[in-house]
Amino acid sequence: MTPGRPVPPPLAHPISPAAADAEAGMRAAAYGAVSGASGLVPLTVARRAPKPDDVEIAIEFCGLCHSDVHATRGEWGGQTYPLVPGHEIVGRVSRTGSDVTDFAVGDRVGVGCMVDSCRECESCLDGLEQYCENGMTGTYGAKDRRNGDTITQGGYSSSIVVDRRYVLRVPESLDPAAAAPLLCAGVTTFSPLRHFDVEEGDVVGVVGLGGLGHMAVKLAKAMGARVVVFTTSESKVAAALELGADEVVLSRDEAAMAAANRTIDLIIDTVAAPHDLNPFFRTLRVDGALFQLGLPSEAMPPVNPGALIRRRIAYAGSLIGGIAETQEMLDFCAEHGVVADIEMVAAGQLNEAYDRMVAGDVKYRFVLDTSTLPAPAEEADA
């Protein structure tokens, strides 16, 4: 653990009892935060018994996303604790509700960033549940409106219960641990590539080479595009080429950026720190687009409207993907052999992994092996 960070207690104080028998639900072992300063500690989560449309999942692996760090450390404000993060979940179906016919015990499945939405608005009916006009229900830290407004608890746990409509089928051909980050990082980059109809012969620029960026490179190459990575770091040149990039441009090199003028069709910007977009707009061709995926915590430098107007450039944002699109992404990855580059961590290494994520010391995604979680306690913390 990083010196100066609070040392967590061995087990958080229990909040409420959990039913232990199968009729009422079950207790799940977990790791989560009990305050913004607690770090991640062992917890026990009460999971509901499956309702008629529910699927109970024995979690095998869960990816670590940078948003998990922000949420558990209270950096986005308004957080309810205890909080178990994790929205890149892969496991096996362990039980199904009475009305579930599309999943069976033993199926390998996944859960991404949402576990519900209103199912009635135009966005939901169009398969764009991530843009639900009444607000999607996040996999953790959200009020579960169909289940008594309980706070959802995520995938750093041994099990989870989710409505079948928000469960994905994970192809058996994919490495389950390396497939876990596809449920967030994968679909977040796949969605704008699909929206822009990337195909063979297109040139895709990728800004940043982290968890999102490395997936953007792999997916764009699988779609047949020529991929150009923009990075500020010379140390990432070889790594980008190893991932399949055709060219790497050092974005601090004015001559290199000038040479890239009008050569790119689409840019996927994955950087979550404030940075000037105007030099990247100049690399786009007429009718090009820049999709912003990174969400900086501070204000970005202003965009020059002239850069957009002179080439009919679109500046857009994109948020994960709907359920159908996420399934399409998983099937596409199985067809093309695309998974994340990962480093496996045990439960006891989670705090160290968080500090390394903040420092950018991961290549390219951490994944929790849930078999390393301690046994659940007699009473639930959340």
Side-chain angles (χ1 to χ4, degrees):
M1 180 165 296
T2 301
R5 289 195 62 77
V7 177
L11 187 67
H13 296 297
I15 292 174
S16 60
D21 63 273
E23 295 291 326
M26 63 184 297
R27 296 187 309 275
Y31 254 65
V34 295
S35 74
S38 71
L40 295 171
V41 301
L43 296 172
T44 296
V45 177
R47 297 297 192 190
R48 69 178 184 266
K51 293 159 63 177
D53 281 335
D54 280 342
V55 174
E56 180 185 84
I57 302 165
I59 300 172
E60 298 172 299
F61 303 102
C62 186
L64 278 59
C65 179
H66 209 117
S67 59
D68 300 346
V69 180
H70 292 306
T72 55
R73 293 183 177 178
E75 294 169 353
W76 284 342
Q79 192 61 67
T80 301
Y81 296 97
L83 176 68
V84 175
H87 56 210
E88 298 178 346
I89 299 167
V90 170
R92 296 276 188 188
V93 175
S94 54
R95 203 163 31 144
T96 62
S98 58
D99 293 344
V100 176
T101 59
D102 43 352
F103 294 101
V105 171
D107 287 350
R108 177 159 278 140
V109 293
V111 177
C113 301
M114 56 185 162
V115 292
D116 203 358
S117 62
C118 81
R119 311 179 194 174
E120 298 175 350
C121 70
E122 186 175 347
S123 292
C124 285
L125 295 176
D126 284 345
L128 300 171
E129 299 93 343
Q130 75 272 35
Y131 302 122
C132 176
E133 292 151 37
N134 296 300
M136 68 173 182
T137 302
T139 304
Y140 65 83
K143 281 188 178 181
D144 191 346
R145 290 167 289 189
R146 296 183 206 274
N147 292 285
D149 281 345
T150 56
I151 301 301
T152 57
Q153 304 293 348
Y156 295 9
S157 59
S158 56
S159 70
I160 193 168
V161 178
V162 179
D163 186 287
R164 65 171 183 78
R165 298 168 184 85
Y166 300 84
V167 176
L168 290 309
R169 192 172 297 280
V170 177
E172 290 285 350
S173 62
L174 294 175
D175 178 320
L182 300 179
L183 277 304
C184 176
V187 72
T188 296
T189 48
F190 180 88
S191 186
L193 291 168
R194 265 289 180 257
H195 185 77
F196 200 78
D197 292 327
V198 168
E199 59 187 7
E200 189 170 355
D202 289 338
V203 181
V204 173
V206 177
V207 182
L209 199 65
L212 290 175
H214 97 287
M215 288 307 313
V217 171
K218 291 188 175 195
L219 289 166
K221 284 298 293 182
M223 292 176 182
R226 184 173 187 274
V227 176
V228 179
V229 169
F230 294 91
T231 180
T232 59
S233 174
E234 288 190 26
S235 64
K236 295 209 173 167
V237 172
L241 295 173
E242 273 181 32
L243 287 168
D246 298 282
E247 182 182 351
V248 183
V249 175
L250 293 172
S251 55
R252 290 177 177 167
D253 184 333
E254 292 184 7
M257 290 295 287
N261 184 38
R262 292 179 182 261
T263 63
I264 309 293
D265 295 300
L266 171 70
I267 290 176
I268 303 295
D269 189 329
T270 70
V271 176
H275 57 291
D276 187 1
L277 297 174
N278 294 295
F280 298 105
F281 289 135
R282 290 192 284 271
T283 70
L284 289 168
R285 294 170 173 156
V286 172
D287 285 332
L290 187 150
F291 274 93
Q292 186 76 45
L293 303 185
L295 185 61
S297 57
E298 300 173 10
M300 294 272 283
V303 168
N304 174 15
L308 308 180
I309 291 169
R310 283 191 290 271
R311 298 184 194 174
R312 200 162 58 189
I313 287 170
Y315 175 37
S318 185
L319 177 69
I320 54 172
I323 296 301
E325 186 173 50
T326 305
Q327 188 63 63
E328 179 192 359
M329 177 273 305
L330 287 168
D331 295 340
F332 177 90
C333 288
E335 180 183 352
H336 295 275
V338 174
V339 288
D341 286 14
I342 66 167
E343 179 179 337
M344 199 83 76
V345 296
Q349 298 172 304
L350 284 168
N351 287 299
E352 178 188 353
Y354 269 27
D355 290 337
R356 286 180 57 192
M357 272 199 287
V358 172
D361 179 24
V362 53
K363 193 176 176 180
Y364 290 91
R365 207 73 165 183
F366 287 120
V367 172
L368 169 65
D369 177 356
T370 63
S371 70
T372 63
L373 291 167
E378 290 298 319
E379 294 184 315
D381 302 286

